[in-house]
Amino acid sequence: MKLNTLKIFSFVVFLSILSCKENKETEENNTSQTSEEKITKSISEEKIDSVNQLAANQYLSMAKNLEESRYPKTFYPENNKFETSNSGWWTSGFYPGTLLYLYEETGEDSLKIEAERILTDLKREESNTSTHDLGFMMFCSFGNANRIDPKPEYQEILMNSAKSLATRYNDTVKAIRSWDSASWNKASEDDLVVIIDNMMNLELLFWATEHSGDSTYYDIAVNHANTTMENHFREDYSSYHEVIYDEATGDVKKQITNQGFADDSNWARGQAWGLYGYVVMYRATKDDKYLEMAKNIAEVVLNDPNMPEDKIPFWDFDTDKIPNDLKDSSAAAVMASALLELYEYTDDAEYFTVAEEMLESLSSSEYLADQDELGGFLLKHGVGNMPNNTEVDVPLTYGDYYFVEALKRYQEI
């Protein structure tokens, strides 16, 4: 009798376990289905392929107009003026970086050949210690080249670039110096200027530690991000563009703007730089405080009452001409790329949805150039520096780069 009772009890336990397992599997399936429903895509593969092919054609056309050792900056439609820079300008890395992204997406060898041509010239900047923008210049270019086709030569250039960037670190302020010149940025000679853009250059330092095993670069990046997190953001997580520190003490002297509407306004691309930068910080460290910071910065973008319906932000969220002011397509491109990566870390569908809306707008005729338009650039309506009246309502090489990157990320989700 006891044996039969034991058998019955065992069978009941078995059925209970089986039932729990089936319920758990059902819950997991439902969760998976819900997650898939959250990110139903509205931009078709055909549309993305079409945009990438247009971009490839545009950039190959642009390449024909580039003189030796010159890099595209912008194009002025009103007088058909194509503006370029030398390799030392902060945007020099975006042209080869865009070519390499488009090579990945289209498989056109001519894009890679042109990228390799310009990389041969850009290599000289590996020893440039006069700029904080070596991440933009060298990681967007050689970083992508090494990712696609790893080579010891590329890795040596990236390490040398990281070493050059590290020379600008100040251990008292615990931040990387941005601009050297004090004459035009409201600082004195004994001050240290840091701009929010500098968050975008830390990725190079993380790569350097991963490659070399030397934690010096990692520590510099973390210290810079922590200092920026403490002093560059207001209580609502909107950001100042520029913070001026006392180089000797590390004290904050001023929190101002150079490219925004006002010292206390929220310059759109600055908000984008901060968002992207802290997403990278979480990717590199897996420290939850950086994920929370990225989410808080994103909320400013998502909830600002002045965000236009097409999700392409005005060049500054707080100008006195809204809703009749200019929008900045480059800010939207950076935001879209950052929000897509943030979505992958959080599974928050709102990030994906807003990024998708941005990309839909940028891929429309309102913002995307036609074939043979804009000197080969992609996005119309970028705003470089409104207060100084430079590169206003024009295509921008970094807008193109982050637009192509965002489309790539969108396609891979």
Side-chain angles (χ1 to χ4, degrees):
M1 186 70 176
K2 290 181 179 179
L3 183 58
N4 289 337
T5 302
L6 181 61
K7 286 181 178 179
I8 292 170
F9 176 75
S10 299
F11 184 65
V12 170
V13 170
F14 170 74
L15 288 177
S16 297
I17 292 172
L18 183 63
S19 176
C20 289
K21 183 179 179 183
E22 288 175 347
N23 287 338
K24 184 177 180 182
E25 287 176 350
T26 300
E27 288 174 5
E28 288 175 349
N29 288 337
N30 288 339
T31 300
S32 176
Q33 289 171 4
T34 302
S35 179
E36 287 175 7
E37 288 170 3
K38 283 181 182 177
I39 60 166
T40 300
K41 295 181 178 179
S42 62
I43 307 176
S44 69
E45 292 287 327
E46 291 77 15
K47 174 65 174 178
I48 294 174
D49 290 344
S50 173
V51 172
N52 282 331
Q53 191 57 59
L54 169 69
N57 294 342
Q58 286 285 87
Y59 266 65
L60 289 173
S61 174
M62 180 191 292
K64 298 174 183 177
N65 296 321
L66 284 175
E67 298 176 3
E68 190 73 21
S69 300
R70 302 301 296 179
Y71 298 72
K73 280 178 64 180
T74 187
F75 182 84
Y76 295 92
E78 65 273 12
N79 55 13
N80 210 38
K81 180 185 176 184
F82 185 58
E83 188 172 299
T84 62
S85 73
N86 61 23
S87 62
W89 187 243
W90 75 275
T91 62
S92 58
F94 294 118
Y95 174 62
T98 302
L99 289 167
L100 289 166
Y101 273 147
L102 292 172
Y103 163 70
E104 284 187 284
E105 297 307 302
T106 67
E108 293 193 26
D109 289 336
S110 51
L111 293 162
K112 186 181 182 186
I113 292 169
E114 172 62 7
E116 290 171 342
R117 179 195 71 80
I118 202 74
L119 289 177
T120 301
D121 181 79
L122 184 59
K123 176 183 181 297
R124 74 182 76 182
E125 301 302 330
E126 65 184 343
S127 57
N128 185 346
T129 59
S130 68
T131 178
H132 65 287
D133 279 323
L134 287 169
F136 281 137
M137 296 160 64
M138 308 305 280
F139 200 74
C140 293
S141 54
F142 286 99
N144 276 316
N146 186 63
R147 179 180 57 80
I148 294 169
D149 185 14
K151 292 181 180 179
E153 178 191 0
Y154 294 155
Q155 293 153 20
E156 182 181 1
I157 291 168
L158 288 167
M159 280 306 306
N160 288 338
S161 301
K163 290 174 184 176
S164 296
L165 179 57
T167 66
R168 302 184 64 79
Y169 177 71
N170 180 293
D171 198 41
T172 301
V173 178
K174 296 202 178 302
I176 299 167
R177 180 188 300 275
S178 295
W179 298 319
D180 285 334
S181 173
S183 61
W184 58 277
N185 59 30
K186 306 177 186 177
S188 59
E189 294 297 337
D190 58 348
D191 290 335
L192 187 141
V193 174
V194 178
I195 58 175
I196 190 64
D197 318 38
N198 214 347
M199 285 298 301
M200 300 292 287
N201 295 295
L202 305 183
E203 194 171 2
L204 170 63
L205 299 176
F206 285 123
W207 180 90
T209 286
E210 183 179 356
H211 178 73
S212 68
D214 185 345
S215 62
T216 302
Y217 307 103
Y218 182 102
D219 293 341
I220 288 173
V222 166
N223 286 343
H224 182 94
N226 290 344
T227 298
T228 301
M229 191 158 60
E230 182 176 353
N231 299 315
H232 253 90
F233 292 86
R234 307 178 184 98
E235 288 187 10
D236 66 353
Y237 295 100
S238 63
S239 70
Y240 297 100
H241 177 210
E242 178 181 348
V243 176
I244 299 176
Y245 296 90
D246 185 314
E247 189 172 5
T249 66
D251 294 338
V252 174
K253 297 177 70 173
K254 295 179 183 177
Q255 293 163 309
I256 59 176
T257 195
N258 182 274
Q259 290 175 258
F261 174 69
D263 290 344
D264 61 353
S265 70
N266 189 17
W267 175 49
R269 197 165 61 252
Q271 197 70 19
W273 293 145
L275 172 61
Y276 195 112
Y278 283 98
V279 171
V280 169
M281 288 301 301
Y282 178 71
R283 183 208 306 159
T285 68
K286 291 299 182 283
D287 188 328
D288 285 339
K289 73 180 180 183
Y290 299 129
L291 183 61
E292 287 305 307
M293 189 65 183
K295 289 161 65 177
N296 286 329
I297 298 170
E299 288 306 306
V300 178
V301 173
L302 300 179
N303 297 321
D304 194 290
N306 287 332
M307 175 64 87
E309 188 175 346
D310 68 358
K311 296 298 187 288
I312 309 301
F314 295 103
W315 69 274
D316 191 298
F317 283 102
D318 302 309
T319 83
D320 58 357
K321 296 180 182 178
I322 291 173
N324 300 313
D325 214 335
L326 293 175
K327 298 177 184 178
D328 181 13
S329 60
S330 74
V334 177
M335 289 174 182
S337 189
L339 287 170
L340 287 171
E341 185 172 0
L342 184 58
Y343 163 74
E344 295 199 89
Y345 298 140
T346 63
D347 200 32
D348 187 331
E350 188 176 13
Y351 300 143
F352 179 88
T353 299
V354 173
E356 185 177 57
E357 290 173 349
M358 289 174 169
L359 290 178
E360 286 180 316
S361 294
L362 293 174
S363 300
S364 72
S365 58
E366 176 68 22
Y367 295 96
L368 187 63
D370 291 327
Q371 191 71 60
D372 300 322
E373 189 182 10
L374 295 183
F377 286 93
L378 303 179
L379 292 182
K380 310 171 190 176
H381 307 311
V383 176
N385 191 327
M386 179 72 84
N388 292 302
N389 197 32
T390 58
E391 299 177 349
V392 174
D393 200 20
V394 293
L396 298 165
T397 183
Y398 45 93
D400 286 2
Y401 176 88
Y402 289 105
F403 173 55
V404 172
E405 179 183 83
L407 285 175
K408 176 177 167 63
R409 288 179 171 182
Y410 179 86
Q411 206 166 19
E412 290 173 351
I413 290 178

